[in-house]
Amino acid sequence: MEFSSCITRDHTTLDPNVYLIKQWQTWSGGLHRVLCMQGGDDDFSYAKNSEAPASAIALCKPLLLNSIQSMKLFFHGKKEAVDSIRIADLGCATGHNTLATIDMIVQSLRQKYVTMCGFEPEFEAFFSDLPSNDFNSLFQSLSSRQFSDQQQYFAAGVPGSFYNRLFAKGKLHIAVSLSALHWLSKIPETVLDKRSAAWNKGRVWIEGSKIEVVEAFAKQAEKDLDDFLRCRKEEIVQGGMLFILMGGRPGLQPPQNQLEDPDSRAKHPFTMTMDQAWQDLLNEGLIDEETRDGFNIPAYMRSIEEVERAIKRCGGFEIKMIEYKRIMEEKREEWIKDPVSYGRAKANLVRATLRPIVQAHLGPHLSDQLFNRFQLRVSSDFTLLHKTCFYGVIVVCAIRI
């Protein structure tokens, strides 16, 4: 993802803040160097603002546990060849969700082997995410378990993109990816070219955008999912399981409708209010149009049909279960009574999710100004408080054959 293509070289007439943006946009690293959830454990961190992913994981927990119980046994006695059960969390981020998920998987497998085989195998858990992820916070949480009764597995971090190979052939027995695969590997090049019909003028996401923009994102999402599945096909042993939870949209709904209904489209943090916050910076002379139009949120909500087609193209997997589910935004009645707290909570959510890539585009000062504008708009728009936002997710369980 190259931001340097959006730079105006003649900066002499620009506001000083705009010139600072241009300096930040000369950063020429790839998206994988900055795309991550906000690290640490302060009020803006992903660890403190991951209720929506936690709700999605809770929703799919019974499906994951049922899938584990239906898996084949990889060995029936201590003398057999398999030395440990190896699990990977792909796109692990940091915080409670990833640790709770691995704990749940290990506990379920341990109980299964004790019941059916009479012994406990050893377990290895691999936490994988982009190098920009806050692995330090994750490792600190893990280190507190090392010398306690809570340690259930041997853990390791694996930095890298899950759109590439991360493990040796036939290394994994279970691979899970929860609330991560809707993030793309990069923004399509045509979307970053202002001469292109896919230049996403006036918007930061694809919901409601021109068909050329949507098609560019859909093509990138298709390639990314193909790459993800091809890599997991090599890494997962026969009989092993791939379990995916990702943002999605209802079946047969066209990709330009990334969200399910008008209220969700109005209230989702990536849509109307976010566009308005960017427009505020533009109206105040803090950024120019190219700066606004050159920023895009690298997310795409696939349909069940798109996922099924990708798995069939890849081969090597048998789909055991694929479902679309809806998650309703919580605490609506509570937020109606306290719109200021609601605005703060929503702003903290988007900071936890988008701050690293916004800061790479705008720099630290103006990124904070953007989120402040977003918070103010959410707090003052009382019509939004009475709307209900649904988040769609797709849940997939596939067995390596």
Side-chain angles (χ1 to χ4, degrees):
M1 180 179 181
E2 299 288 340
F3 291 113
S4 55
S5 62
C6 301
I7 298 167
T8 302
R9 295 302 178 189
D10 180 12
H11 59 266
T12 56
T13 61
L14 295 177
D15 183 281
N17 284 310
V18 177
Y19 179 50
L20 286 175
I21 296 167
K22 302 306 175 184
Q23 291 180 309
W24 277 97
Q25 288 177 332
T26 55
W27 172 82
S28 59
L31 180 61
H32 68 281
R33 296 184 182 276
V34 294
L35 179 60
C36 64
M37 303 298 102
Q38 183 67 37
D41 60 358
D42 60 22
D43 289 344
F44 300 155
S45 67
Y46 181 76
K48 294 285 181 65
N49 295 279
S50 53
E51 288 185 4
S55 297
I57 292 170
L59 184 70
C60 77
K61 179 179 178 180
L63 302 175
L64 176 55
L65 292 176
N66 288 339
S67 298
I68 291 172
Q69 291 305 313
S70 66
M71 284 180 64
K72 63 169 282 188
L73 292 169
F74 290 101
F75 52 102
H76 301 274
K78 294 182 181 179
K79 295 182 180 180
E80 297 209 18
V82 177
D83 54 357
S84 64
I85 300 296
R86 294 179 289 275
I87 306 158
D89 185 351
L90 307 174
C92 64
T94 187
H96 172 76
N97 290 344
T98 183
L99 299 179
T101 299
I102 295 298
D103 287 348
M104 177 178 66
I105 293 172
V106 170
Q107 289 169 5
S108 179
L109 285 170
R110 175 177 285 113
Q111 182 180 6
K112 178 175 181 176
Y113 276 92
V114 168
T115 301
M116 301 184 71
C117 304
F119 76 99
E120 295 183 14
E122 290 187 324
F123 294 92
E124 297 177 68
F126 301 99
F127 296 90
S128 180
D129 211 319
L130 294 171
S132 49
N133 185 55
D134 183 9
F135 282 102
N136 284 338
S137 293
L138 178 62
F139 294 154
Q140 287 170 4
S141 300
L142 285 169
S143 65
S144 66
R145 299 171 172 221
Q146 265 190 331
F147 303 105
S148 70
D149 294 336
Q150 291 184 335
Q151 185 185 14
Q152 305 178 64
Y153 48 81
F154 298 97
V158 181
S161 170
F162 53 39
Y163 294 122
N164 299 318
R165 285 284 300 275
L166 294 166
F167 302 95
K169 189 172 184 178
K171 177 75 171 177
L172 301 176
H173 299 97
I174 297 180
V176 299
S177 180
L178 307 179
S179 298
L181 258 175
H182 49 272
W183 295 104
L184 302 181
S185 66
K186 67 176 187 176
I187 302 294
E189 292 180 5
T190 54
V191 176
L192 293 174
D193 183 357
K194 68 178 182 179
R195 301 164 297 180
S196 166
W199 177 250
N200 197 15
K201 185 174 180 59
R203 296 183 184 273
V204 298
W205 195 38
I206 62 171
E207 172 63 41
S209 291
K210 298 182 299 182
I211 190 63
E212 292 87 354
V213 179
V214 176
E215 288 176 347
F217 270 77
K219 184 177 180 181
Q220 184 63 51
E222 179 180 283
K223 179 184 183 303
D224 283 348
L225 187 54
D226 286 347
D227 289 343
F228 176 88
L229 292 169
R230 172 181 50 80
C231 294
R232 305 297 84 78
K233 180 180 177 180
E234 294 297 316
E235 296 166 352
I236 298 174
V237 301
Q238 287 193 349
M241 183 179 76
L242 174 62
F243 190 91
I244 301 170
L245 166 71
M246 60 179 153
R249 67 181 196 274
L252 303 179
Q253 185 161 296
Q256 55 266 36
N257 292 338
Q258 290 280 285
L259 303 171
E260 183 171 340
D261 59 82
D263 280 4
S264 297
R265 292 168 197 149
K267 199 173 185 180
H268 193 284
F270 289 178
T271 56
M272 182 177 70
T273 309
M274 180 60 68
D275 286 336
Q276 291 171 343
W278 281 86
Q279 185 65 38
D280 287 342
L281 295 187
L282 177 61
N283 292 343
E284 295 168 31
L286 298 176
I287 62 173
D288 57 22
E289 285 193 10
E290 286 189 25
T291 298
R292 179 197 60 188
D293 299 340
F295 178 83
N296 291 270
I297 297 172
Y300 181 86
M301 308 301 167
R302 300 177 180 88
S303 66
I304 282 182
E305 292 78 14
E306 287 173 318
V307 176
E308 286 179 327
R309 287 197 297 268
I311 294 174
K312 290 178 181 178
R313 280 196 303 270
C314 178
F317 288 103
E318 179 184 356
I319 298 175
K320 291 295 186 181
M321 177 272 299
I322 182 166
E323 297 183 13
Y324 173 81
K325 291 185 173 293
R326 304 166 83 211
I327 303 167
M328 186 176 71
E329 184 181 49
E330 298 179 352
K331 302 181 181 179
R332 191 179 75 158
E333 297 304 319
E334 178 182 331
W335 294 135
I336 289 175
K337 298 175 183 178
D338 189 358
V340 173
S341 294
Y342 177 69
R344 184 184 308 114
K346 295 297 284 187
N348 286 350
L349 171 64
V350 295
R351 278 187 172 99
T353 308
L354 299 178
R355 188 177 186 178
I357 58 173
V358 172
Q359 186 165 302
H361 193 69
L362 293 179
H365 173 68
L366 282 177
S367 64
D368 286 340
Q369 293 298 311
L370 174 72
F371 296 124
N372 290 341
R373 303 302 190 281
F374 178 90
Q375 178 175 331
L376 181 61
R377 281 192 167 274
V378 173
S379 299
S380 59
D381 190 343
F382 297 105
T383 61
L384 282 182
L385 292 171
H386 293 272
K387 297 179 185 295
T388 300
C389 182
F390 289 95
Y391 298 90
V393 295
I394 291 175
V395 187
V396 185
C397 174
I399 300 298
R400 180 72 173 88
I401 56 177

